[in-house]
Amino acid sequence: MAERLSAAADQVGISPPRTDANTVGQWERGLHEPKRATLELLCSLYECSARDLGFGTQPLTASAALGSWDQPQTADARMLPEPVGDPLAEHVEAARRSVDRTLALSTVSAAQMDLLDMRILEVRRQYLYEPPTQMLRSLLGELEEVKCLAADRQPASVQVRLSEMTAVLATLIADSLMKLGKLASSRKWYDTAQSAADDSGRVELRARVRAQRAMLPYYYGPLEGAVVLGREARLLTRGRPTSTAAFAAAAEARALARQGSFSAAETVITTAQRLYEQCEHGSPDDAFAFPERRLLLYLSGAYTAMGRSSQARKVQAQALDLYPERTGIDPALLHLEAAICLAHDHSAAEACQLAGRTVLQVPAEHRTHILQERARDVLGVLPPRIRGARAARELTDILALSQAGGDSLEPRQRA
């Protein structure tokens, strides 16, 4: 600062102030105040008033300081220093300067935040097709950087963005753990995601995390938890036509249908479709978006649970046409729901064969616990007298081998 003050004095053609690092330190600690000419240089250098810098009682703007070098000052225009020797006034002023310095502290620039946003968006894209074990490493790495930045004092706008990033990453971590069957850890991470979303103050994000969280009780129970979370998310959106509102309604409807509340499910399905028709859907290449194929996946789950096989098959076919070649397990979940429809339609052998083929065709790193659970639902809807039939036994063997481990599944199955 001392060097910059000398350079600023040279630029305006005046003698540089006799200032060194020790003098600046005394200003900062409130032990001394700069002289009039030096204070005007400071105002010019920082483009602010003397009061902004913590000196004097009369405002002196940077523009006034710049125009004052060759014009005489009247006594009334000069700044009057605070009375010397008043301990309370000195304490109050020192406290104010300390608060101002704290508010100005920041360890991250806007450019750094933008780069971090871009990296997280890339992770969100990768999440659509990378196996959950691999994604956990990437997600935890990005979250560590966000956590380090959030641990320091940041401006409010930066802190909000960091809370948003934390909510998104924690949600995807929770979802990965759910797919792997690590349910206790998944619940804890969803708690973290929900806390971060609430901390951000963004209603849309708060609703999105709750809608996503509804998947855990939908697949693993209790179903009432999925209904409550979907409804809570939908209420947070207050009926605004957004993709999150449509997502929340679809999540609630799917859980209601599986719970057996068919009339209520039908009403909420209509709400989800109406909201979706009126909103922007977001990029289909983003794990935090709600593209049409995901809406159809949720409708497939609802219609399948309601025993409406014809409607279920229709939305399943529409959804499968929308998935790219490289993707996660959603297409497999759709095929398993098609197998459940076959079981409902009394085609038990065909249902078990479709479910078995579906599991075998999924790459080993994607054969996660959630896929096995949904395949077991095919066996669960079979009449008891058929569960001992050959096709059902073969499906049971496939699931046992899949759970045992993986790469050797297909050769063993062929043997």
Side-chain angles (χ1 to χ4, degrees), residues 138-194:
S138 300
L139 291 164
L140 289 169
E142 297 297 343
L143 185 60
E144 180 63 25
E145 182 166 349
V146 173
K147 185 190 76 172
C148 290
L149 294 174
D152 294 328
R153 201 275 169 197
Q154 306 291 352
S157 59
V158 173
Q159 204 66 44
V160 167
R161 289 178 69 183
L162 291 172
S163 293
E164 292 170 359
M165 292 175 183
T166 301
V168 169
L169 293 170
T171 297
L172 296 180
I173 290 170
D175 190 64
S176 298
L177 292 167
M178 179 194 69
K179 290 177 181 177
L180 295 170
K182 301 182 183 301
L183 306 186
S185 292
S186 177
R187 290 188 186 96
K188 292 175 183 177
W189 274 100
Y190 271 126
D191 287 343
T192 298
Q194 193 165 313

Side-chain angles (χ1 to χ4, degrees), residues 11 31 37 98 117 129 136 141 167 175 300 328 363 398 410:
Q11 288 178 359
L31 301 177
S98 176
D117 259 332
Y129 54 82
L136 276 173
D175 190 64
S300 168
I398 289 172
E410 289 189 71

Side-chain angles (χ1 to χ4, degrees), residues 109-147:
S109 67
Q112 285 177 292
M113 291 295 293
D114 290 341
L115 288 172
L116 189 54
D117 259 332
M118 290 174 62
R119 289 213 313 270
I120 292 175
L121 181 58
E122 180 58 30
V123 170
R124 286 159 59 171
R125 293 190 181 113
Q126 292 173 0
Y127 192 84
L128 295 174
Y129 54 82
E130 295 288 354
T133 302
Q134 181 175 327
M135 284 309 308
L136 276 173
R137 298 188 186 95
S138 300
L139 291 164
L140 289 169
E142 297 297 343
L143 185 60
E144 180 63 25
E145 182 166 349
V146 173
K147 185 190 76 172

Side-chain angles (χ1 to χ4, degrees), residues 330-352:
D330 283 2
L333 294 175
L334 286 162
H335 286 303
L336 291 174
E337 286 177 350
I340 293 173
C341 290
L342 287 170
H344 284 155
D345 295 342
H346 310 292
S347 299
E350 192 177 352
C352 292

Side-chain angles (χ1 to χ4, degrees), residues 47-117:
E47 298 183 354
C48 63
S49 70
R51 184 177 294 277
D52 292 334
L53 293 173
F55 301 118
T57 58
Q58 300 299 321
L60 176 66
T61 63
S63 58
L66 285 170
S68 66
W69 298 109
D70 56 355
Q71 295 185 15
Q73 294 286 327
T74 65
D76 291 340
R78 294 175 183 171
M79 290 185 305
L80 298 177
E82 291 280 2
V84 178
D86 184 346
L88 178 59
E90 291 175 1
H91 180 69
V92 169
E93 186 59 20
R96 190 196 61 75
R97 285 199 295 269
S98 176
V99 170
D100 281 351
R101 284 195 295 271
T102 300
L103 291 173
L105 289 176
S106 176
T107 62
V108 60
S109 67
Q112 285 177 292
M113 291 295 293
D114 290 341
L115 288 172
L116 189 54
D117 259 332

